Amino acid sequence: MTEEEQILRVCSAFQLRGEYRSYETITYGHINMTYKVYFFRDGEIKDYILQRLNTYVFKNPVEVMENTIAVTEYIRKKIKETGVSAKRYVLHYQRATDGEYYTRTEDGGFWRCSRFIDDSVSFLRAETPEVMEEAGRAFGEFQLYLSDFPVEKLHIAIPHFHNTVMRYETFRESIRADACGRVKDVLPEIDKCLEFEETATAMYKMQRGGELPLRVTHNDTKCSNILFDKDSLRHLSVVDLDTVMPGLVGFDFGDAIRAGANTADEDERDIKKVSVDMEKFEAFTRGFIGAVRGSLTANEKKSMALGALTMTVECGMRFLTDYLDGDKYFHIYHPDHNFVRARCQFALADDMIGKMDEMNEIVRKYCEE
Ligand code: GN1
Ligand code: MG
């Protein structure tokens, strides 16, 4: 079966009406396979997003969908209560013929389908401080929408996802196993990662010690996980809800900085180009802290910048671990992709260490405003 035939089969399971026109592959994500499909109905193009969930990463995809539906329904209700139509502000998933929000294919595929939000765009990286500030508002608002969500209803989609202590253990196991004989080629990066250990595990330990509260968090706050209105560039909806779980607000803040405030791409080879763009850092802080400020504890406020460093080190460590394991987790587009990504994250983390005081000062300023 060709890819297109498979896509058509999935579309028919979701009873997408109208005449099929075409599809395109969206290559942003590192985990799931994402396609946009175009149908023609009532004189108009209707577009949908089809995703094949990565079941190596998400061992229990049904639970992932239960979380996603619970969260989107919760947000939809809140938006509707304000008298606004939620259509463009939260994802709408389609039911398959059997009533479930997913369908399976014979080759073991697990698929879901949502309507494409009209006139929306997303960005791999925030090109301007204005987009970063809007991204801050989007994730801050998301945090507020879910602040009273019943946490016990959420499944843990990936256990220990931001448990940096355990991430270091796994990293050491991968070094010991050296499954692909790559350890000898990446010794400086391994050392670098280990150097960060004390700092990068501090927040997790604070949470365990009761110094930082668990909240419902998104856990993958890349700029590419926000849809913006294509004209006004106002945020519409947060997407990719696969990892919504209890977590630390500083990690949601921090991962957005890691992904959005880097002066280079996540997989930049030339690490001289990698640094934190402080204007974008400040813009995101203004948007995010402006939205959540009132709900933060004193320790949370103090931990935001450390959250950025923690997420950057953790992400670098995850890329490097996957490189050592033989690239089983993240999609790669060339053989040393995970290694290049890891080296870039560590360079960004180095730059953050030098800018820690400045970052903390900016956060403090917006918390007090
Ligand atoms: C993955 O699926 P995607 O590309 O949005 C990963 C995140 C990483 C990110 C790095 C479930 O996100 O944790 O931070 O890549 N998602 C999962 O770009 O592991
Ligand atoms: Mg994701």
Side-chain angles (χ1 to χ4, degrees), residues 29-31 58 161 220 222 225 240 258 266 318 329-330:
H30 297 346
I31 305 291
F58 298 107
F161 192 58
D220 188 7
K222 308 205 265 205
N225 284 334
D240 191 0
R258 173 195 77 73
E266 188 181 65
R318 292 173 62 200
Y329 189 98
F330 295 104

Side-chain angles (χ1 to χ4, degrees), residues 222-234:
K222 308 205 265 205
C223 185
S224 55
N225 284 334
I226 302 172
L227 301 178
F228 299 87
D229 179 89
K230 78 173 186 2
D231 299 316
S232 69
L233 298 187
R234 294 267 164 256

Side-chain angles (χ1 to χ4, degrees), residues 317-350:
M317 174 160 54
R318 292 173 62 200
F319 288 142
L320 191 56
T321 304
D322 199 32
Y323 183 70
L324 296 178
D325 293 347
D327 310 304
K328 297 196 174 104
Y329 189 98
F330 295 104
H331 293 160
I332 53 164
Y333 297 95
H334 46 83
D336 66 348
H337 207 165
N338 273 321
F339 168 69
V340 173
R341 286 168 175 156
R343 201 178 43 183
C344 175
Q345 298 305 300
F346 295 147
L348 185 62
D350 269 338

Side-chain angles (χ1 to χ4, degrees), residues 10 40 67 90 131 144 158 160 163 174 186 190 201 205 213 221 257 260 272 275 287:
V10 172
F40 190 74
N67 280 353
V90 65
V131 171
L144 288 183
I158 302 180
H160 306 291
N163 176 344
S174 296
V186 300
I190 290 177
T201 52
K205 288 175 186 159
T221 49
I257 297 301
K272 289 196 293 302
S275 64

Side-chain angles (χ1 to χ4, degrees), residues 134-321:
E134 198 56 30
R137 274 190 216 110
F139 284 120
E141 204 172 80
F142 181 82
Q143 175 70 235
L144 288 183
Y145 279 141
L146 297 176
S147 56
D148 50 4
F149 183 92
V151 188
E152 67 285 355
K153 284 203 179 150
L154 282 179
H155 304 289
I156 303 298
I158 302 180
H160 306 291
F161 192 58
H162 286 320
N163 176 344
T164 46
V165 172
M166 193 169 277
R167 293 272 182 203
Y168 268 100
E169 282 170 24
T170 314
F171 177 53
R172 286 197 170 86
E173 278 164 26
S174 296
I175 299 171
R176 269 195 298 274
D178 195 12
C180 306
R182 288 173 164 176
V183 166
K184 63 180 185 324
D185 307 323
V186 300
L187 292 174
E189 287 70 27
I190 290 177
D191 284 347
K192 179 101 257 171
C193 186
L194 295 172
E195 256 173 50
F196 289 122
E197 184 164 5
E198 200 181 322
T199 321
T201 52
M203 276 176 76
Y204 179 76
K205 288 175 186 159
M206 281 175 78
Q207 184 269 311
R208 299 296 293 175
E211 291 169 68
L212 288 172
L214 282 177
R215 299 172 182 273
V216 177
T217 46
H218 182 279
N219 292 306
D220 188 7
T221 49
K222 308 205 265 205
C223 185
S224 55
N225 284 334
I226 302 172
L227 301 178
F228 299 87
D229 179 89
K230 78 173 186 2
D231 299 316
S232 69
L233 298 187
R234 294 267 164 256
H235 69 276
L236 297 171
S237 178
V238 162
V239 302
D240 191 0
L241 307 174
D242 301 337
T243 49
V244 173
M245 285 181 284
L248 299 181
V249 65
F251 286 173
D252 265 9
F253 173 88
D255 202 41
I257 297 301
R258 173 195 77 73
N262 188 347
T263 49
D265 287 335
E266 188 181 65
D267 55 358
E268 176 58 58
R269 263 182 201 277
D270 181 0
I271 57 169
K272 289 196 293 302
K273 292 186 183 159
V274 177
S275 64
V276 188
D277 178 328
M278 290 308 286
E279 206 186 334
K280 286 185 186 162
F281 177 87
E282 177 152 2
F284 186 87
T285 307
R286 190 158 50 234
F288 189 86
I289 301 290
V292 300
R293 184 171 50 211
S295 61
L296 299 180
T297 67
N299 276 342
E300 283 180 315
K301 290 175 185 168
K302 277 190 245 157
S303 72
M304 293 288 160
L306 180 57
L309 177 59
T310 307
M311 287 297 95
T312 307
V313 172
E314 184 198 82
C315 194
M317 174 160 54
R318 292 173 62 200
F319 288 142
L320 191 56
T321 304

Side-chain angles (χ1 to χ4, degrees), residues 26-203:
I26 296 183
T27 53
Y28 277 14
H30 297 346
I31 305 291
N32 299 322
M33 291 296 295
T34 308
Y35 306 91
K36 190 171 175 191
V37 293
Y38 297 89
F39 275 71
F40 190 74
R41 189 170 81 231
D42 306 331
E44 281 183 280
I45 289 289
K46 307 272 177 193
D47 31 20
Y48 297 87
I49 295 291
L50 285 191
Q51 272 190 316
R52 181 183 170 131
L53 253 79
N54 181 326
T55 47
Y56 176 81
V57 168
F58 298 107
K59 307 282 184 217
N60 194 332
V62 174
E63 289 190 354
V64 169
M65 280 321 286
E66 283 173 5
N67 280 353
T68 301
I69 298 300
V71 166
T72 49
E73 289 309 317
Y74 198 81
I75 295 177
R76 191 175 342 274
K77 190 162 165 277
K78 284 214 167 165
I79 295 175
K80 280 188 177 162
E81 277 164 9
T82 67
V84 173
S85 157
K87 200 169 168 226
R88 294 182 75 217
Y89 299 112
V90 65
L91 289 177
H92 181 100
Y93 282 92
Q94 303 279 127
R95 284 185 198 267
T97 31
D98 60 1
E100 303 290 355
Y101 285 101
Y102 56 85
T103 189
R104 294 181 193 267
T105 43
E106 282 148 20
D107 61 347
F110 183 100
W111 295 77
R112 66 182 169 201
C113 174
S114 59
R115 285 193 207 139
F116 181 78
I117 295 187
D118 290 340
D119 300 319
S120 65
V121 285
S122 58
F123 306 103
L124 214 42
R125 197 149 52 91
E127 291 301 337
T128 62
E130 288 72 29
V131 171
M132 256 322 244
E133 181 167 348
E134 198 56 30
R137 274 190 216 110
F139 284 120
E141 204 172 80
F142 181 82
Q143 175 70 235
L144 288 183
Y145 279 141
L146 297 176
S147 56
D148 50 4
F149 183 92
V151 188
E152 67 285 355
K153 284 203 179 150
L154 282 179
H155 304 289
I156 303 298
I158 302 180
H160 306 291
F161 192 58
H162 286 320
N163 176 344
T164 46
V165 172
M166 193 169 277
R167 293 272 182 203
Y168 268 100
E169 282 170 24
T170 314
F171 177 53
R172 286 197 170 86
E173 278 164 26
S174 296
I175 299 171
R176 269 195 298 274
D178 195 12
C180 306
R182 288 173 164 176
V183 166
K184 63 180 185 324
D185 307 323
V186 300
L187 292 174
E189 287 70 27
I190 290 177
D191 284 347
K192 179 101 257 171
C193 186
L194 295 172
E195 256 173 50
F196 289 122
E197 184 164 5
E198 200 181 322
T199 321
T201 52
M203 276 176 76

